[in-house]
C-alpha cells in the first residue's frame, strides 16, 4: 500500500480514509485522485502511487496554528539607571493574556516616588530594560482562557506588583486587580489607589490612629501625606504637618492639619516640642528619610512609633538599637506589598479606600497631569518638589 504525506499550511489533519468515487465532497475537502497522472496544485503532497482514490480532509484551525503577530504598544522603557532622561518612549511588543491573566488598556497611570527609586536603582528592578510604574486604572480588553470573575469592559485598578504601568496597555494577573466603583472617576482612582492603600495601612494597621492621638506627618502636601492628614483628622487625631512652602502649607491646612510647619523657616523638632508642650507625638509618618529621620525620633513621646515609609531625601543613616532604648521607641519600615499580600487583604484595603472617597472622607488632589510620553518631565518635577498632591500620567 502506498505512502501519503500531507503538508497543507495552516491546517491540521483531521482524518484520512478511502472513499468511493461517487462521494460528494465539500470545498474544505482535498482530493488526491489518479496520483500517477494528476498534478495536485497548491499543496505540499508527496506520495507513491496507489490504486484507489484517497481523501484527506483537513479542518482549518487558524486560531491554533497561525502565529498571531504581537501587538505593538507605546511604553516608557528604562535601559540604564539614572536621571529622568533615561525614561524612553518606545514601541514594545505585547502578547495575549494567558490563563489567569487579563489585558487592560490604561486610562490613567499614577506617579509615585517608588518609580523614581527604581529608575535610580535604589530599588532593583527584576529585569533590565524595564517598564516602570506601580499604579494604574484601565479597561479590560481581553481575558485569558478559562478566566471567570473578570470580563471585557470592566474598569479595574491595581497598585504594587507587577511593575509596568507606564504603558498604553499591559497584561496583569487577574487576582492583582480590583473593580473600580462607577462612582469613582478613573483618574481619581489612579491617583489614589497606591497612595490611598498606603495611607490605609499606615493609620489603620501599622499604627492604629485614634481620637486623642497627636501625629506628625512629613511631606504633608504630597500624594500620601495629603491623604494621611485627611484620614488622621477624620479619626480624631491632632495632626501636625511639615511642608516646604507657604503654598503647600495652605493645602495642608485644607487637608486637616491643625498645625503646619514650614521646615525651611523653622526647626520642626523645636516646633513640635512647643505644640505638644514637651510631650511629643504618638507616631511620626516619615517618607523623607535621611534629612528628617533623627529629628523624627526626637519628636516621639515615650513608647512612640517611628514609621519610615520612604526616603525621598536619601536612605537614613544606620541607627543603633540603643538609640531607641531611652524612650522605648518602636521603629518600623513597612511596605504596602506586605499589607496587601492576600487577595482578601487587597480587596478589603481597596474597598475601604474607595468607600472613603465616595463618602468624601478622602479627597484626592490631582494637581498635575502629564501625557505618559512626558514621564521624564513629571519625574523631574516630582524629584525637585515642584508638585503637590497627586500626579497622574495619561496614555
Amino acid at each position: 500500500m502506498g505512502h501519503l504525506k500531507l503538508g497543507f499550511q495552516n491546517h491540521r489533519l483531521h482524518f484520512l480514509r478511502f472513499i468511493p468515487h461517487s462521494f460528494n465532497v465539500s470545498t474544505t475537502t482535498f482530493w488526491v485522485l489518479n496520483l500517477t497522472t494528476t498534478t495536485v496544485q497548491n499543496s505540499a503532497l508527496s506520495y507513491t502511487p496507489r490504486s484507489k482514490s484517497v481523501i484527506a480532509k483537513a479542518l482549518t484551525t487558524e486560531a491554533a496554528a497561525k502565529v498571531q503577530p504581537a501587538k505593538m504598544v507605546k511604553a516608557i522603557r528604562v535601559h540604564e539607571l539614572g536621571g529622568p532622561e533615561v525614561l524612553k518612549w518606545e514601541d514594545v511588543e505585547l502578547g495575549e493574556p494567558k490563563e489567569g491573566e487579563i489585558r487592560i488598556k490604561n486610562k490613567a497611570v499614577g506617579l509615585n516616588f517608588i518609580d523614581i527609586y527604581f529608575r535610580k536603582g535604589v530599588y532593583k528592578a527584576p529585569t533590565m530594560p524595564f517598564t516602570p510604574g506601580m499604579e494604574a486604572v484601565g479597561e479590560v480588553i481581553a481575558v485569558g482562557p478559562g478566566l471567570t470573575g473578570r470580563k471585557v469592559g470592566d474598569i479595574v485598578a491595581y497598585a504594587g506588583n507587577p511593575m509596568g504601568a507606564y504603558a498604553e496597555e499591559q497584561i496583569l494577573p487577574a487576582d492583582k486587580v480590583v473593580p473600580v466603583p462607577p462612582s469613582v472617576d478613573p483618574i481619581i482612582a489612579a491617583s489614589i489607589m497606591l497612595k490611598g492603600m498606603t495611607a490605609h495601612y499606615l493609620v489603620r494597621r501599622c499604627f492604629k490612629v485614634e481620637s486623642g492621638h497627636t501625629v506628625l506627618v512629613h511631606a504633608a502636601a504630597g500624594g500620601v501625606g495629603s491623604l494621611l492628614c485627611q484620614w488622621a483628622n477624620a479619626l480624631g487625631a491632632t495632626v501636625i504637618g511639615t511642608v516646604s512652602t507657604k503654598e503647600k502649607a495652605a493645602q495642608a491646612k485644607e487637608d486637616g492639619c491643625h498645625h503646619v510647619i514650614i521646615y525651611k523657616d523653622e526647626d520642626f523638632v523645636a516646633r513640635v516640642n512647643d505644640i505638644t508642650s514637651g510631650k511629643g507625638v504618638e507616631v511620626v509618618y516619615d517618607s523623607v528619610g535621611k534629612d528628617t529621620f533623627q529629628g523624627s525620633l526626637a519628636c516621639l513621646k515615650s513608647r512612640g512609633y517611628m514609621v519610615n515609609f520612604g526616603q525621598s531625601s536619601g536612605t537614613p543613616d544606620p541607627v543603633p538599637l540603643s538609640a531607641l532604648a531611652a524612650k522605648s521607641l518602636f521603629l518600623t519600615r513597612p511596605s504596602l506589598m506586605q499589607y496587601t499580600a492576600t487577595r482578601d487583604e487587597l480587596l478589603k484595603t481597596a474597598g475601604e479606600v474607595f468607600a472613603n472617597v465616595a463618602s468624601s472622607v478622602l479627597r484626592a488632589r490631582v494637581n498635575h497631569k502629564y501625557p505618559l510620553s512626558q514621564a521624564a518631565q513629571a519625574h523631574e518635577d516630582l524629584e525637585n518638589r515642584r508638585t503637590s498632591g497627586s500626579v497622574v500620567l495619561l496614555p
Side-chain angles (χ1 to χ4, degrees), residues 54-89:
V54 179
I55 179 174
K57 186 173 182 181
L59 298 182
T60 302
T61 55
E62 294 185 1
K66 280 187 177 179
V67 176
Q68 296 291 336
K71 182 177 180 179
M72 304 300 290
V73 300
K74 286 288 189 180
I76 294 291
R77 298 288 282 169
V78 175
H79 294 267
E80 59 179 335
L81 303 177
E85 71 279 357
V86 304
L87 299 171
K88 305 298 183 183
W89 185 238

Side-chain angles (χ1 to χ4, degrees), residues 16-232:
L16 178 67
R17 65 191 177 101
F18 296 111
I19 62 168
H21 288 287
S22 60
F23 192 82
N24 186 25
V25 191
S26 70
T27 56
T28 58
T29 304
F30 295 86
W31 280 92
V32 181
L33 181 62
N34 297 326
L35 294 179
T36 56
T37 59
T38 304
T39 301
V40 182
Q41 300 295 327
N42 300 321
S43 68
L45 294 174
S46 63
Y47 55 87
T48 56
R50 49 194 314 160
S51 58
K52 295 184 178 180
S53 302
V54 179
I55 179 174
K57 186 173 182 181
L59 298 182
T60 302
T61 55
E62 294 185 1
K66 280 187 177 179
V67 176
Q68 296 291 336
K71 182 177 180 179
M72 304 300 290
V73 300
K74 286 288 189 180
I76 294 291
R77 298 288 282 169
V78 175
H79 294 267
E80 59 179 335
L81 303 177
E85 71 279 357
V86 304
L87 299 171
K88 305 298 183 183
W89 185 238
E90 299 178 351
D91 289 314
V92 297
E93 290 186 0
L94 192 65
E96 294 301 316
K98 299 174 183 177
E99 186 175 349
E101 295 180 334
I102 60 172
R103 180 171 177 158
I104 69 170
K105 183 179 180 65
N106 283 331
K107 291 178 173 289
V109 177
L111 172 61
N112 297 281
F113 224 96
I114 193 171
D115 305 341
I116 293 173
Y117 297 154
F118 277 108
R119 190 204 74 215
K120 296 171 71 173
V122 176
Y123 296 164
K124 186 177 180 180
T127 62
M128 183 66 79
F130 67 92
T131 297
M134 309 284 283
E135 177 182 40
V137 171
E139 179 180 355
V140 177
I141 57 174
V143 298
L147 184 67
T148 59
R150 293 270 69 87
K151 65 182 185 300
V152 172
D154 286 351
I155 304 300
V156 298
Y158 98 102
N161 291 321
M163 188 165 52
Y166 285 21
E168 293 175 325
E169 298 179 15
Q170 64 185 131
I171 292 175
L172 291 168
D175 63 357
K176 294 296 184 182
V177 305
V178 299
V180 177
S183 60
V184 180
D185 181 87
I187 291 178
I188 297 298
S191 74
I192 207 169
M193 182 68 176
L194 189 146
K195 301 171 191 67
M197 292 201 300
T198 298
H200 175 273
Y201 84 75
L202 289 174
V203 300
R204 303 306 295 150
R205 299 179 67 190
C206 191
F207 175 87
K208 195 167 185 177
V209 174
E210 297 176 353
S211 179
H213 286 161
T214 302
V215 307
L216 173 62
V217 178
H218 287 301
V224 175
S226 170
L227 299 174
L228 279 174
C229 293
Q230 295 175 53
W231 212 326

